[in-house]
Amino acid sequence: STCLLASRMQDCADEHLLQIEILVFVHKKLQYRRGKNPDIILLKPQVRFLFQETEKRFQKKPVMQIEQEQNMHIIKQSRT
């Protein structure tokens, strides 16, 4: 699930003392929040069809798609 992936990514970042915050949003609710503008937006495979719309909406932010293989790699990496 998306929440599990985000949790594991946050755990990995914390273990490496990276000062980042991983947040998960339903695509419809993805927006700039005061003081919480995203540095990067990652889209899971289930919403890859929204890639171009998201790029247009957040023109100054990198938007990337997570492929299924990358998703599993991130989960495996964060367990170590």
Side-chain angles (χ1 to χ4, degrees), residues 18-61:
L18 300 173
Q19 295 184 2
I20 61 173
E21 181 179 21
I22 308 292
L23 301 173
V24 176
F25 295 98
V26 175
H27 190 269
K28 290 179 184 178
K29 294 184 179 183
L30 180 63
Q31 59 188 343
Y32 286 108
R33 295 172 37 202
R34 187 175 50 205
K36 295 276 187 176
N37 295 337
D39 293 317
I40 188 169
I41 298 168
L42 301 174
L43 299 177
K44 294 245 334 189
Q46 296 88 332
V47 293
R48 65 179 167 254
F49 64 94
L50 296 169
F51 181 77
Q52 290 180 335
E53 174 188 326
T54 306
E55 273 191 319
K56 288 177 187 174
R57 193 168 158 200
F58 296 93
Q59 293 179 1
K60 296 184 180 189
K61 301 295 179 179

Side-chain angles (χ1 to χ4, degrees), residues 1-10 22 24-25 44:
S1 86
T2 303
C3 290
L4 177 62
L5 176 62
S7 175
R8 298 209 188 265
M9 289 172 68
Q10 187 68 60
I22 308 292
V24 176
F25 295 98
K44 294 245 334 189

